[in-house]
Amino acid sequence: MKKHVLLSTGIVLLFGLSACDSNTAPQQLSTKAKLELPVGMTKINSVQKADDEIVIPFTQYELANGLTVVLHSDKSDPLAHVDITYHVGSGREEPGKSGFAHFFEHMMFQGSENVADEQHFGLITESGGTLNGSTNTDRTNYYETVPSNQLERMLWLEADRMGFFLDAVTVEKFENQRETVKNERGQNYDNRPYGLLRERVNEALFPQGHPYSWLTIGYIEDLNRADLNDLKKFFLRWYGPNNATLTIGGDFDEQQTLEWVNKYFGGIPRGPEVVDPEYVDVVLPEDRYISMQDNVSLPLMYMAFPTVYANHPDEAPLDVLMSILGSGKTSLLYKNMVKNGKAVQAQAGHSCGELSCQFSLLALPTPNSSLAELETIARTSLVEFESRGGANEDDLARVKAGIVSGMVYGLESVSGKVSQLAAYQTYRQNPNAIGDDIARYQNVSKEDVMRVYQQYIKNKHAVIMSIVPKGQADKIIKPDTWQRLERTFTQEQDESALVLRPGKSDFDRSVVPPSGPNPSIKVPDIYQVSTTNKIAILGAVNDEVPTTTIHLRIPAGQTREDLSQLGLAALTAAMMGEGTEQNSAEDLSNELQKLGSSVDFRAGNKYTTLRIRTLTKNLEPTLAIALEKLTQPKFTQDDFSRLQKQQIEGLKTAKKNASSLAAEAFNKLAFGHNNSFAYSSGGTIETVEKLNLDDVKAFYKANYGPAKSELLVVSNLSELSMLSALQNLNSWQGNTSAEPAIKAFPALAAGTLYFIDKPEAAQSEIRIGKRALNYDATGEYYRVDLMNYNLGGAFNSRINLNLREDKGYTYGARSFFYGDDIYGFYKAQAGVRSDTTADSIVQFRKEISEFAANGMTDVELQFMKNAIGQRDAREYETPGQKLSFLSEIMEYQLTRSFVDEQNQILSKISKEELNALAKKHLKLDEMITVVVGDKAAIMESLQPLFKNIVEIDEEGKPL
């Protein structure tokens, strides 16, 4: 289940940014009182933590031009996060101009009057930061996370594109980003299985001309129709400071930050006044059945009911209803569809925006079920909800526990807290709305849930969509009762206020602000012990949030599989998530949800990992459930048969994904069909079909033991307290198999093109590469990663600037080295527009060969050293990041000082050494090429580029 809401992607995340800020001390209040506000700046509000109140502390200001400024202090890590949110998304677009809000987001990264083309990416990357932007129906935001000494530069960058953008726009930039957006649509929608689901449903659900009737990505024909004048009008209409919220979080001096904000943003004039969009009730006069044929392996059934709008009083009880119907193993859809083998997947959703929400039921059938049968079961499940009396106490407890745990988990990153403050201000004009959110969910009653069911769902009309494999039109639920409308474009907005608004400055904006002193970066302290049954434990204390995250790595991954049993590790891991000898899977899921905890198993190359996440106060019962799952799996035939079918259908679906096909084909060619890790973790359809329950039991018995297992933990508990909590692990018994031998890798047929035909593909997936070095933290492997950074490792690398920014062939292109203790490879890759496949390969070759021959420049060398040298400031912020650090140490038997050794190598490495590595490792005549694309459309253009072309099937075998 995923709930798409205005403020986040789930009920849990909706409340993920709250609670106590341990860095807000009483003495800070007196400091804040002494702040001298710049002229024209007004303080609006200030909220601090009081007792156990759940709140994100902040101070809110407003500039004379209407810009809202929200500051959140968090000095736990030496970083700053900047978010500027404009209250405009695709919901403000005119009919016929769909996709423009998102297109404009791309344009805002193309430079401004005082920031050169690509300089925005360059400055932030070089400073060790990360950046991006996003657009949804109702807002567009731009954000950066950087070391704290770079904050002034971020404010200068954001202010320059807010106030000094239009004069830097060129036709060339406009056309380039138009092509980039088209590639994004091709990659994420047109070329992806089920990618057009929401577009078709929204067209049928909303009235013609309603701005939610099209997707944020827009239609290709609308993008083709747009011109430079449209872009300028859009900027002038929506990108004024009075339609924006600037939110800053992290380690900063508040007085200095306010002065910088006023300096860089104060001279930007107000834009036209903006009013909130008006909600119009959406009502369907009848059920609308629609369908489409797609390049999928499994049909899909989707039902969508219009409901309310985001922040409506009935949104919360509708979310609870969603959870009861289709969230996890406690849900009615799981019981009535998945548990009994009728569906591979079934879930409910309640996606919300400012103008409307939709309540959805989704299911993918197993081969012995039909879409029509699933629709009947879905409707029967609604009746069952009512007949059983609606919501029960467990239902409410699960949802409310998820809210509380989500609030605490959200404290783990400053970017999350900043995003939440920005969203609350944008949609509710109050950054402190989290208390209202908590209350509206905690106050939901059983009567509320039944009421909204009867008001919005029972006997109400819906859009019912069937997506079926191509050539299988007979599998749709019913013949279409609604046809796509011919879109008309008559609406025009008032443009009388759209006049140029030149900004004012009393300083030279062309001067890039200097960086402040480098912040002090501290690698996390760690402790290392072992249990009496020989589980190695590596831990770190994270006292910023009261949470515990544990990864128990068991040497029971793909490498333990026989080639005839590929997929067995993944299937066993899935079985570990089912019932135990004591409790059913549903009962355990219910208890975990009421604790706000998660326990799951996941198989990888070498390990199956038991992952545990919980509020520390609930650690004991959560660990008890995890240990029960680990040591007492029930392994029933019914569970096995159901999960086996699901895994097979997942493999079939993956074969429809060009990116997955390309990745697996490359791995098999590089590392051999006789090494299990070269295959998808799910195995192959043929091998999984032959597995049985005894195979799972035997794999568990042979591999699920404590010896050679490793436990990584990040918690606010001390070492002694954590070890005490883990003591029950000493009772775990079991076997561990011997480390398997890796088979010899095959000879590469260098220079060969391996081609997989994907008829009518809108894009081609390209992989160019070879085997390379295994992992070495401070050896040549680390150095080749430094070497590749300017070639293909950064957004503004040579490869990406060429294929994306200059040519507009792709949404993104990169190259990288990857290695572990088993294998390593170098790969350059991209998904490109189909008609550019041949030239994309030419451009890849050109960049790689030129870099190998001539190496990097002095400027590139310094850029790489600056970028990598400063990014440690944001490497250890969250428990997840700390776990990654611990994992690297444990996996490769490192000490925490390896980071210092890497920094010494970085500071001393010369251009000559790196260029020598480029010559050594970037030899095109040692590489193979894999392409997945439409043979009929592109093969003729590829033939001149290769002396040897081998067509292969979806399993990577020659045809």
Side-chain angles (χ1 to χ4, degrees):
M1 176 277 294
K2 178 174 284 188
K3 160 154 164 63
H4 299 281
V5 297
L6 194 66
L7 302 183
S8 70
T9 57
I11 298 176
V12 170
L13 292 182
L14 178 65
F15 297 98
L17 308 163
S18 60
C20 329
D21 188 334
S22 59
N23 300 298
T24 303
Q27 61 267 27
Q28 289 180 309
L29 298 177
S30 60
T31 302
K32 290 181 179 180
K34 298 177 182 177
L35 288 176
E36 296 182 8
L37 294 185
V39 176
M41 183 178 288
T42 304
K43 182 177 178 179
I44 304 299
N45 194 12
S46 182
V47 172
Q48 302 299 320
K49 178 185 177 296
D51 299 324
D52 294 328
E53 181 186 13
I54 296 176
V55 69
I56 310 173
F58 70 90
T59 307
Q60 179 183 359
Y61 303 90
E62 185 174 298
L63 271 62
N65 57 15
L67 177 67
T68 297
V69 180
V70 180
L71 303 183
H72 166 69
S73 178
D74 180 347
K75 299 186 180 298
S76 56
D77 293 280
L79 54 82
H81 183 82
V82 176
D83 176 291
I84 187 156
T85 297
Y86 295 89
H87 197 173
V88 56
S90 57
R92 306 268 187 148
E93 294 167 347
E94 303 172 45
K97 295 181 180 179
S98 67
F100 214 84
H102 172 254
F103 179 26
F104 194 83
E105 174 210 321
H106 280 250
M107 289 300 302
M108 285 282 278
F109 288 97
Q110 300 307 300
S112 48
E113 186 174 323
N114 300 292
V115 181
D117 189 18
E118 313 307 339
Q119 190 179 13
H120 198 110
F121 281 102
L123 283 174
I124 294 175
T125 305
E126 187 175 20
S127 68
T130 183
L131 73 158
N132 213 327
S134 69
T135 308
N136 65 23
T137 54
D138 306 302
R139 66 98 184 99
T140 306
N141 72 334
Y142 306 87
Y143 50 91
E144 304 89 19
T145 304
V146 293
S148 54
N149 64 322
Q150 303 293 331
L151 176 57
E152 184 182 6
R153 282 190 177 186
M154 301 309 105
L155 300 176
W156 170 74
L157 286 168
E158 289 295 356
D160 208 68
R161 60 181 174 184
M162 175 188 281
F164 304 88
F165 172 75
L166 288 184
D167 287 345
V169 174
T170 65
V171 173
E172 291 75 18
K173 292 178 183 179
F174 181 86
E175 293 299 336
N176 172 272
Q177 290 309 305
R178 192 206 309 258
E179 293 306 308
T180 299
V181 172
K182 289 181 185 179
N183 280 305
E184 183 178 354
R185 179 180 167 104
Q187 180 173 313
N188 293 336
Y189 298 88
D190 300 325
N191 210 40
R192 176 171 290 180
Y194 314 107
L196 296 176
L197 166 65
R198 288 195 304 113
E199 180 171 270
R200 297 297 173 85
V201 169
N202 285 11
E203 290 171 346
L205 187 69
F206 296 103
Q208 185 178 23
H210 191 291
Y212 286 7
S213 66
W214 56 80
L215 296 186
T216 300
I217 193 69
Y219 295 101
I220 290 291
E221 58 267 30
D222 289 354
L223 290 170
N224 287 336
R225 189 182 299 111
D227 60 29
L228 197 58
N229 196 44
D230 292 323
L231 179 141
K232 292 181 178 181
K233 290 177 181 178
F234 191 89
F235 176 83
L236 292 170
R237 179 70 185 86
W238 300 111
Y239 272 70
N242 50 307
N243 195 37
T245 297
L246 171 65
T247 311
I248 304 168
D251 185 7
F252 55 80
D253 177 272
E254 188 162 351
Q255 179 72 61
Q256 178 64 80
T257 299
L258 291 176
E259 292 172 3
W260 285 336
V261 168
N262 192 61
K263 173 181 178 180
Y264 294 113
F265 289 90
I268 301 173
R270 294 177 71 93
E273 295 308 308
V274 176
V275 297
D276 289 339
E278 182 178 348
Y279 168 71
V280 177
D281 193 24
V282 177
V283 179
L284 295 174
E286 71 284 313
D287 283 339
R288 291 178 174 176
Y289 285 87
I290 59 175
S291 64
M292 67 175 292
Q293 298 180 48
D294 196 4
N295 186 25
V296 297
S297 64
L298 275 180
L300 178 146
M301 183 278 297
Y302 189 91
M303 300 177 65
F305 299 83
T307 59
V308 289
Y309 54 88
N311 302 318
H312 184 282
D314 287 344
E315 182 188 12
L318 281 163
D319 289 345
V320 177
L321 175 63
M322 170 196 68
S323 177
I324 296 168
L325 285 172
S327 177
K329 293 179 180 178
T330 56
S331 70
L332 293 177
L333 292 185
Y334 180 85
K335 175 178 74 72
N336 295 337
M337 292 187 184
V338 180
K339 183 71 173 179
N340 59 14
K342 295 290 186 181
V344 173
Q345 178 184 347
Q347 63 191 45
H350 190 221
S351 57
C352 279
E354 279 187 304
L355 295 179
S356 189
C357 303
Q358 59 177 277
F359 194 100
S360 60
L361 306 174
L362 174 152
L364 287 80
T366 52
N368 60 338
S369 302
S370 69
L371 293 184
E373 183 179 6
L374 293 188
E375 184 204 8
T376 299
I377 296 173
R379 293 186 184 277
T380 302
S381 298
L382 294 175
V383 175
E384 180 183 352
F385 165 78
E386 184 174 18
S387 64
R388 75 172 202 176
N392 58 42
E393 292 299 334
D394 262 7
D395 295 327
L396 298 180
R398 285 196 306 271
V399 174
K400 292 175 182 180
I403 292 169
V404 174
S405 61
M407 287 187 284
V408 180
Y409 295 146
L411 292 172
E412 293 174 351
S413 73
V414 67
S415 62
K417 290 183 283 187
V418 163
S419 298
Q420 196 71 75
L421 289 168
Y424 281 136
Q425 172 59 30
T426 299
Y427 299 128
R428 306 192 195 181
Q429 292 74 54
N430 178 16
N432 193 34
I434 195 165
D436 295 336
D437 261 341
I438 296 165
R440 69 175 179 149
Y441 281 91
Q442 291 189 332
N443 292 334
V444 171
S445 68
K446 292 184 288 185
E447 291 75 19
D448 290 329
V449 181
M450 180 61 79
R451 176 180 54 78
V452 297
Y453 163 75
Q454 294 174 335
Q455 183 173 350
Y456 302 105
I457 307 299
K458 182 182 179 180
N459 298 327
K460 294 300 187 290
H461 297 299
V463 173
I464 304 97
M465 181 164 194
S466 305
I467 296 181
V468 297
K470 290 184 177 180
Q472 299 182 23
D474 59 315
K475 292 187 176 181
I476 66 173
I477 297 172
K478 289 182 181 179
D480 290 8
T481 62
W482 184 88
Q483 301 298 323
R484 300 180 74 190
L485 302 173
E486 180 178 347
R487 296 184 300 126
T488 58
F489 321 122
T490 57
Q491 180 180 348
E492 290 291 339
Q493 293 182 339
D494 180 14
E495 298 178 358
S496 59
L498 304 186
V499 296
L500 290 175
R501 307 184 299 271
K504 300 177 181 179
S505 305
D506 57 4
F507 63 98
D508 186 354
R509 285 186 181 264
S510 67
V511 177
V512 180
S515 300
N518 286 336
S520 176
I521 300 166
K522 185 176 183 296
V523 174
D525 292 327
I526 61 176
Y527 56 86
Q528 191 161 9
V529 292
S530 63
T531 62
T532 56
N533 54 352
K534 299 182 180 179
I535 304 171
I537 298 177
L538 191 61
V541 176
N542 180 50
D543 57 10
E544 297 170 31
V545 284
T547 65
T548 298
T549 306
I550 296 172
H551 286 184
L552 175 62
R553 302 194 307 200
I554 308 162
Q558 275 185 283
T559 52
R560 261 64 179 182
E561 297 172 345
D562 184 86
L563 287 175
S564 65
Q565 295 184 316
L566 294 170
L568 179 56
L571 188 52
T572 304
M575 289 287 287
M576 298 295 293
E578 295 300 318
T580 68
E581 295 292 347
Q582 296 185 44
N583 292 288
S584 69
E586 292 80 4
D587 287 342
L588 292 172
S589 176
N590 188 40
E591 290 306 310
L592 285 170
Q593 290 183 67
K594 288 193 292 183
L595 292 168
S597 304
S598 62
V599 173
D600 65 79
F601 293 79
R602 183 171 299 181
N605 275 356
K606 294 175 60 179
Y607 301 101
T608 289
T609 302
L610 166 56
R611 304 185 308 170
I612 302 166
R613 192 183 195 197
T614 183
L615 303 181
T616 302
K617 68 178 183 179
N618 295 331
L619 178 60
E620 182 179 350
T622 302
L623 281 176
I625 293 173
L627 190 60
E628 182 181 330
K629 283 176 169 284
L630 177 64
T631 61
Q632 302 178 54
K634 194 167 186 179
F635 291 152
T636 68
Q637 183 61 50
D638 285 346
D639 287 339
F640 174 83
S641 299
R642 172 171 42 81
L643 293 172
Q644 182 186 40
K645 289 177 183 177
Q646 290 180 10
Q647 191 158 317
I648 290 169
E649 295 306 324
L651 290 168
K652 290 178 181 178
T653 298
K655 291 187 180 301
K656 300 297 183 179
N657 187 299
S659 180
S660 298
L661 284 175
E664 188 166 348
F666 179 87
N667 286 345
K668 291 174 181 175
L669 291 164
F671 304 111
H673 289 257
N674 60 344
N675 277 308
S676 58
F677 65 83
Y679 293 79
S680 159
S681 62
T684 71
I685 295 171
E686 181 183 10
T687 58
V688 175
E689 285 178 336
K690 294 178 180 178
L691 296 174
N692 58 51
L693 182 59
D694 287 338
D695 294 325
V696 168
K697 291 178 178 179
F699 189 83
Y700 173 80
K701 184 177 181 180
N703 297 287
Y704 275 69
K708 300 182 182 178
S709 290
E710 303 167 345
L711 188 143
L712 310 171
V713 57
V714 176
S715 174
N716 64 310
L717 292 178
S718 67
E719 175 184 349
L720 289 178
S721 297
M722 194 68 234
L723 294 179
S724 176
L726 294 170
Q727 63 181 345
N728 286 342
L729 271 176
N730 288 312
S731 64
W732 177 29
Q733 297 177 349
N735 301 314
T736 301
S737 62
E739 186 78 21
I742 303 300
K743 309 294 193 304
F745 299 148
L748 284 181
T752 299
L753 167 64
Y754 295 91
F755 189 89
I756 299 176
D757 186 21
K758 193 172 188 289
E760 301 180 13
Q763 285 196 315
S764 300
E765 288 288 339
I766 299 171
R767 305 292 186 270
I768 301 172
K770 62 170 189 170
R771 289 192 297 273
L773 298 166
N774 288 15
Y775 176 91
D776 182 348
T778 56
E780 192 166 332
Y781 174 83
Y782 174 70
R783 290 167 168 81
V784 296
D785 185 57
L786 303 179
M787 174 269 290
N788 175 71
Y789 191 75
N790 290 293
L791 173 62
F795 179 90
N796 52 333
S797 65
R798 294 188 186 186
I799 286 174
N800 196 55
L801 289 184
N802 183 338
L803 273 78
R804 171 178 161 139
E805 297 300 295
D806 294 341
K807 298 290 192 300
Y809 289 172
T810 179
Y811 184 47
R814 61 193 291 248
S815 67
F816 58 97
F817 287 86
Y818 172 82
D820 58 21
D821 58 342
I822 298 176
Y823 66 97
F825 61 80
Y826 170 78
K827 190 191 298 182
Q829 66 182 50
V832 302
R833 199 174 70 240
S834 182
D835 63 339
T836 70
T837 306
D839 194 49
S840 294
I841 293 173
V842 170
Q843 299 305 320
F844 267 122
R845 289 176 173 180
K846 172 174 128 355
E847 297 297 348
I848 294 170
S849 60
E850 286 185 359
F851 202 83
N854 303 314
M856 66 180 64
T857 65
D858 291 331
V859 172
E860 287 176 320
L861 174 68
Q862 193 58 51
F863 175 85
M864 179 272 294
K865 288 190 173 188
N866 290 343
I868 295 177
Q870 297 184 81
R871 69 184 181 191
D872 279 355
R874 54 184 179 85
E875 287 291 295
Y876 314 111
E877 181 189 10
T878 68
Q881 290 172 308
K882 290 180 172 72
L883 275 175
S884 295
F885 176 65
L886 296 179
S887 177
E888 194 168 3
I889 291 174
M890 180 75 85
E891 179 78 5
Y892 302 108
Q893 301 300 302
L894 306 173
T895 66
R896 63 195 293 268
S897 65
F898 85 91
V899 175
D900 297 328
E901 295 176 49
Q902 288 182 338
N903 287 333
Q904 290 178 4
I905 293 170
L906 176 67
S907 66
K908 294 178 181 179
I909 200 163
S910 67
K911 184 176 71 171
E912 290 71 25
E913 180 179 355
L914 292 170
N915 288 349
L917 290 172
K919 283 185 168 62
K920 178 180 178 181
H921 290 283
L922 298 178
K923 296 177 180 177
L924 276 171
D925 58 6
E926 295 178 350
M927 300 184 191
I928 60 170
T929 301
V930 175
V931 172
V932 180
D934 184 356
K935 177 183 176 181
I938 65 176
M939 180 57 80
E940 185 177 352
S941 65
L942 294 175
Q943 288 172 339
L945 301 179
F946 298 91
K947 292 182 180 180
N948 189 28
I949 298 178
V950 178
E951 293 189 55
I952 58 179
D953 62 16
E954 293 176 342
E955 298 298 333
K957 297 178 180 178
L959 295 175

